[in-house]
Amino acid sequence: MSIDPSDPGHGHSAAAWTAVTIMLAAFAIGTTAFFFELVWLVWASFGLLVAGVIVGYVLSKVGYGVGALPAPHGH
């Protein structure tokens, strides 16, 4: 099976997985904090959510995103 070069990859990258994991944890913490009426933790989880977006963006720019070039082989 060949890989179409125009396929964007649908987020199968270290940057996407890391960002989604951080944001999912932030959402779970925020939902639990909202249930227990811990307002400060709701806002802290919102900060973690924003941090997840930033981490994903930075990782994609550093080369861990979908459009990253493959690692060179030492041949």
Side-chain angles (χ1 to χ4, degrees):
M1 196 158 123
S2 65
I3 298 174
D4 183 15
S6 65
D7 182 25
H10 303 291
H12 298 295
S13 67
W17 280 99
T18 304
V20 167
T21 301
I22 292 170
M23 291 186 288
L24 184 62
F27 185 77
I29 292 168
T31 301
T32 304
F34 185 80
F35 178 76
F36 288 111
E37 298 178 1
L38 299 171
V39 176
W40 67 270
L41 191 55
V42 172
W43 285 108
S45 66
F46 177 73
L48 184 61
L49 184 79
V50 172
V53 172
I54 294 170
V55 165
Y57 177 76
V58 168
L59 284 176
S60 69
K61 290 299 178 186
V62 171
Y64 292 101
V66 172
L69 297 174
H73 298 287
H75 294 162

